[in-house]
Amino acid sequence: MPPKRTTTRQAAAKVAAASSSVSPAAQSPAVSSSSNPPSSAIPAVPTAADTSAIVHQAWKSYVADTPTKLKLVDTFMVFLVAVGLVQFVYCILVGNYPFNAFLSGFSITVGQFVLAASLRIQANPNNSSQFEKVTPERAFADFIFGSLVLHFFAYNFIN
Amino acid sequence: MAHFGRRIMQLFSLALVALVSVATALSTSGSKLLVVLDPSIKKQDYSIFFDDLKGRDFDLDFRAANDPNLSLVSFGERAYDQVILTLPPTQKALGPNLLAKPLLEFMTSGGNILVLLNPTGHALGSVREFARELGIHLPFRDTKLVDHFHYDAATSPELHDTVILDPATDLVAVPHLEVDSTKKILYSGSGFALDNNHLLFPILRASDTAYVYDPAEELLESDAPFVSGTQAYVVAGIQARNNARAVIIASSSMLSDEAFNAADSANRELAAGITKWTFQETGVIKLKSVAHKLANTVEENPQIYRVKQDIIYEAEISEWIDDKWVPFVADDVQLEFTMLDPYYRLNLTAVGVSGDSEVYATTFKAPDQHGVFTFNLNYKRTGLSYIDDKRTVTLRHFGHNEFLRSFEIPNAYPYITSLVVVVVAWMLFIVLWVFSGPEKAPEKKTQ
């Protein structure tokens, strides 16, 4: 005589009763066996309309939820990607003479991007639990020092 | 009295002719001339030939081949500058000082040799060996050059072994030797064959209807001649790499008074031309000086250049005409700029006259390869002295401060602008970061 099964079923019935009393619209689909199929079925293949809806949703939540400082870093990073892309396309089209100049210009954008990304990670208040020794101010100081070293290298390498 | 007067006139005209045909050329290698005279050759039969030589300021020293005091070398240096060697009609030895080895050593030390073979065609083993070193194959003894179409009917009506050679077709050393082409050359003797040695200078060959054979074998014809046609040479020479010259004339009778005085004979003119070439009076050129320098600088012949620099190279060449050096004009002088292989082979243009020489110059850009390079002026033309001059310089690569700066290369402008733009944007970012306010706590959605 398994007493557990009865307990589970009773508990499940209680939960079903409780949930149905709170919000009759939101039913747990795992419990209800004799229920109508949900009104909005999950489609098998995502259509274009669904993709644009997802992107739109992501963009809205990004704009709404991200702090201003992080948005500032993100803008800077996008700008760096654009500058690096322009140089890369130019090098492919016109040729890589002088190669050291290309490396210098491209690597300053790439390096600055990496430094900005690490600043973003370390200065995000949501991540403060992972960085106990590094305060956002310390991260910013590291960012400045690293950037200065990078600029020094780039200006020397381009000759 | 009239007979006496006519005699005077004859002597006077002979002297005049002798004076007129005496050249004023002098030798650049010295005037001490040794004549090794075989007893079968009488000096008075060759008086015109030797007088012509004396007229060109040679000191003739007549010796017999078996003279015990005869030596080409004295105290380690050559005792004579030129040698005329006449050979006996039999296989008699010449003596230990005139074997092949002493003759070659004499040439190595800069002396010139003229060998006159005996008209009978005899040649000693040592002379054969000497000729083989030069690339000349002497004929067997008792052979004769015979031509049934061009022979002198007066002297050899049956055997046809006094051959008439035509300067227009048989003299191959033009323009170094030139002879009045309306006259003819009388020749009686044998003929030899040549190797394909680049240093050989063929002078006079037989016509294509002639051949060299031994008359004792068969009369008037042979099916196995030693050499025939235009491959048979009667006068040929060689100029060694140190510019010493040796010429072999296959019969001394070509230079006799009899041949000189024959009607319409060009032998005397030809003999003068041959001896002038042999004894370094004609066809002598000299590299007077070589200078190379960096363009737009003053220092001459620096030891080090850099890759891709403009280099100016100048060479001065003179030629010996008669008795002085004059500018030598040619359009085929070339310079090689070499490191193992010639990187450049450039034509030198004659830009002017400097003193007694012609200046040849060119300007070029050093190749984009560092290393040790040589300026090689290699001018070897048949009949002229050889010029082979090598100057070695170093080509270093760019110093660390000799590369083009980025702002001098238009192709690098996008990268320079990217550097500037990134740094400016970075500074802007710093300012905005510092002056953006503290973070607002994310609002919680409540229902």
Side-chain angles (χ1 to χ4, degrees), chain B residues 66-125:
Chain B
N66 51 10
D67 188 338
N69 298 328
L70 173 62
S71 175
L72 296 173
V73 175
S74 112
F75 299 116
E77 292 186 354
R78 62 171 205 263
Y80 299 94
D81 302 310
Q82 346 277 357
V83 168
I84 295 183
L85 201 57
T86 57
L87 298 181
T90 56
Q91 299 282 89
K92 219 164 50 171
L94 278 180
N97 288 325
L98 295 172
L99 292 178
K101 189 156 174 283
L103 289 177
L104 290 170
E105 282 170 0
F106 179 73
M107 274 188 77
T108 310
S109 64
N112 308 307
I113 300 178
L114 176 65
V115 178
L116 305 177
L117 299 182
N118 199 280
T120 59
H122 282 262
L124 307 160

Side-chain angles (χ1 to χ4, degrees), chain A residues 86-140:
Chain A
V86 162
Q87 286 177 86
F88 192 71
V89 167
Y90 176 82
C91 177
I92 289 181
L93 289 179
V94 178
N96 62 356
Y97 176 78
F99 195 51
N100 66 313
F102 163 69
L103 286 181
S104 163
F106 191 66
S107 70
I108 201 178
T109 59
V110 167
Q112 196 72 70
F113 181 88
V114 167
L115 287 169
S118 60
L119 174 67
R120 191 187 196 279
I121 293 173
Q122 291 176 342
N124 193 348
N126 295 341
N127 290 345
S128 58
S129 58
Q130 284 183 332
F131 296 102
E132 288 160 16
K133 290 185 196 155
V134 180
T135 62
E137 289 76 21
R138 166 74 197 274
F140 184 59

Side-chain angles (χ1 to χ4, degrees), chain B residues 38-353:
Chain B
D38 185 73
S40 70
I41 293 181
K42 298 184 186 48
K43 215 158 81 171
Q44 54 268 33
D45 285 343
Y46 292 81
S47 58
I48 305 180
F49 176 64
F50 291 126
D51 286 341
D52 282 349
L53 286 175
K54 284 200 190 108
R56 302 211 306 262
D57 283 354
F58 282 109
D59 299 324
L60 296 171
D61 186 7
F62 292 90
R63 298 284 188 101
N66 51 10
D67 188 338
N69 298 328
L70 173 62
S71 175
L72 296 173
V73 175
S74 112
F75 299 116
E77 292 186 354
R78 62 171 205 263
Y80 299 94
D81 302 310
Q82 346 277 357
V83 168
I84 295 183
L85 201 57
T86 57
L87 298 181
T90 56
Q91 299 282 89
K92 219 164 50 171
L94 278 180
N97 288 325
L98 295 172
L99 292 178
K101 189 156 174 283
L103 289 177
L104 290 170
E105 282 170 0
F106 179 73
M107 274 188 77
T108 310
S109 64
N112 308 307
I113 300 178
L114 176 65
V115 178
L116 305 177
L117 299 182
N118 199 280
T120 59
H122 282 262
L124 307 160
S126 64
V127 177
R128 272 183 207 284
E129 196 184 324
F130 174 66
R132 201 171 51 234
E133 288 281 338
L134 309 181
I136 295 175
H137 299 281
L138 294 183
F140 306 127
R141 60 180 183 176
D142 292 328
T143 49
K144 282 229 158 268
L145 179 73
V146 159
D147 191 341
H148 299 299
F149 293 88
H150 308 284
Y151 58 92
D152 187 21
T155 45
S156 63
E158 285 172 10
L159 290 175
H160 304 165
D161 57 6
T162 302
V163 163
I164 293 180
L165 300 170
D166 180 13
T169 56
D170 299 326
L171 189 63
V172 293
V174 177
H176 302 284
L177 266 71
E178 283 202 24
V179 156
D180 188 352
S181 53
T182 59
K183 298 201 181 154
K184 53 190 205 268
I185 300 170
L186 286 169
Y187 178 77
S188 165
S190 191
F192 48 75
L194 294 183
D195 243 342
N196 57 354
N197 189 345
H198 289 296
L199 305 175
L200 282 173
F201 180 60
I203 297 175
L204 186 64
R205 65 174 184 206
S207 56
D208 47 7
T209 50
Y211 57 97
V212 175
Y213 84 117
D214 187 347
E217 283 180 17
E218 284 161 81
L219 194 60
L220 287 183
E221 67 179 52
S222 165
D223 55 3
F226 176 74
V227 64
S228 63
T230 52
Q231 286 184 338
Y233 283 83
V234 298
V235 182
I238 186 174
Q239 181 171 250
R241 287 182 216 276
N242 65 342
N243 288 334
R245 293 172 175 170
V247 169
I248 297 188
I249 300 182
S251 164
S252 53
S253 64
M254 205 173 88
L255 308 175
S256 63
D257 286 356
E258 206 182 311
F260 283 7
N261 288 331
D264 232 13
S265 144
N267 284 36
R268 189 176 180 183
E269 217 181 322
L270 181 68
I274 293 173
T275 49
K276 277 189 203 168
W277 189 81
T278 314
F279 302 146
Q280 311 257 4
E281 297 169 60
T282 59
V284 178
I285 60 176
K286 184 175 76 163
L287 183 66
K288 272 210 79 179
S289 70
V290 163
H292 55 85
K293 62 180 191 178
L294 194 55
N296 301 328
T297 58
V298 174
E299 186 198 348
E300 289 220 332
N301 300 341
Q303 279 304 302
I304 299 185
Y305 289 100
R306 198 204 69 207
V307 295
K308 291 176 81 169
Q309 275 182 334
D310 291 318
I311 301 179
I312 299 176
Y313 179 88
E314 285 181 353
E316 296 183 15
I317 305 182
S318 307
E319 187 180 8
W320 179 262
I321 304 265
D322 288 342
D323 58 350
K324 57 186 190 309
W325 293 102
V326 298
F328 171 72
V329 180
D331 58 355
D332 58 350
V333 188
Q334 286 183 321
L335 165 72
E336 282 180 355
F337 194 59
T338 303
M339 175 167 74
L340 301 180
D341 292 318
Y343 278 67
Y344 291 146
R345 196 175 277 131
L346 306 162
N347 295 327
L348 294 180
T349 51
V351 292
V353 170

Side-chain angles (χ1 to χ4, degrees), chain A residues 67 69 87 90 97 147 158-159, chain B residues 406 411 418 426 433 436 439:
Chain A
K69 273 204 164 168
Q87 286 177 86
Y90 176 82
Y97 176 78
S147 302
I158 204 174
N159 189 23
Chain B
S406 287
N411 221 26
S418 106
W426 174 79
W433 174 281
S436 69
E439 292 300 318

